[in-house]
Amino acid sequence: MSITFLGPLQEGGAQLPFYSFKVPAGFPSPAADHIERQISLDQLLDIRAPHVYLVRIEGSSMEGAGIYDGDLAVVDRSITAEHGHIVIAAVNSEPVCKRLCKQGTQIVLKSENAGFPPRYILEGDELIIWGVVTFSVRSHDPKA
């Protein structure tokens, strides 16, 4: 698995309508009187904050967590990584996206796909946590 750093967003961002009803399995025609308020996805995802950056995920090792090949991950550097967080890290300078597990003094980076073994951090390994994944965004456009 590899990661492509996309960096912070440029200034701007459009306000989008947020409808007060939940959409079942289809998309009923939304009437203007159902608009609850205008929202901004960059505000909702906090992606304009200086401590937040975006990466593109490559590989299938995190599919069990709902993170798929090609997804964008929103990563927050200000969150202290704890047991159970999904993190962007570097193990011996190799970037990875894994679930952080602490078992006593042992640190393990676990995949969320049974086809990928856990990565135990051994004495002599260099582990640097670059941030905690807070959101992932997936395109459903078959042309993308």
Side-chain angles (χ1 to χ4, degrees), residues 45 54-55 57 62 65-68 71-75 86 97 133-139:
L45 303 178
L54 303 174
V55 298
I57 302 297
M62 294 303 289
I67 301 174
Y68 294 86
D71 283 0
L72 288 176
V74 178
V75 183
I86 296 174
C97 177
V133 175
T134 54
F135 298 94
S136 63
V137 181
R138 177 176 318 111
S139 172

Side-chain angles (χ1 to χ4, degrees), residues 9-16 38-43 47-48:
L9 293 181
Q10 297 296 320
E11 289 299 318
Q15 297 282 317
L16 303 173
Q38 297 287 319
I39 64 168
S40 167
L41 288 179
D42 45 335
Q43 285 178 332
I47 55 180
R48 297 232 182 255

Side-chain angles (χ1 to χ4, degrees), residues 68-88:
Y68 294 86
D69 184 48
D71 283 0
L72 288 176
V74 178
V75 183
D76 191 329
R77 294 182 304 210
S78 71
I79 298 173
T80 301
E82 296 179 5
H83 175 78
H85 279 152
I86 296 174
V87 298
I88 302 298

Side-chain angles (χ1 to χ4, degrees), residues 3-144:
I3 298 167
T4 302
F5 287 92
L6 301 175
L9 293 181
Q10 297 296 320
E11 289 299 318
Q15 297 282 317
L16 303 173
F18 180 70
Y19 294 93
S20 62
F21 59 86
K22 295 182 180 177
V23 179
F27 191 79
S29 177
D33 59 344
H34 288 285
I35 294 177
E36 185 175 314
R37 66 182 188 278
Q38 297 287 319
I39 64 168
S40 167
L41 288 179
D42 45 335
Q43 285 178 332
L44 181 68
L45 303 178
D46 199 26
I47 55 180
R48 297 232 182 255
H51 54 273
V52 173
Y53 64 95
L54 303 174
V55 298
R56 183 160 317 273
I57 302 297
E58 296 178 22
S60 58
S61 69
M62 294 303 289
E63 287 182 353
I67 301 174
Y68 294 86
D69 184 48
D71 283 0
L72 288 176
V74 178
V75 183
D76 191 329
R77 294 182 304 210
S78 71
I79 298 173
T80 301
E82 296 179 5
H83 175 78
H85 279 152
I86 296 174
V87 298
I88 302 298
V91 179
N92 301 325
S93 301
E94 179 185 338
V96 295
C97 177
K98 301 290 180 200
R99 187 170 303 276
L100 178 66
C101 295
K102 296 179 180 179
Q103 302 168 344
T105 59
Q106 177 69 61
I107 296 175
V108 183
L109 297 176
K110 291 188 176 180
S111 298
E112 293 286 335
N113 181 332
F116 295 85
R119 173 60 161 93
Y120 289 84
I121 305 303
L122 305 173
E123 185 177 330
D125 282 339
E126 180 185 43
L127 172 66
I128 300 172
I129 304 292
W130 289 342
V132 173
V133 175
T134 54
F135 298 94
S136 63
V137 181
R138 177 176 318 111
S139 172
H140 294 278
D141 183 352
K143 297 177 229 152

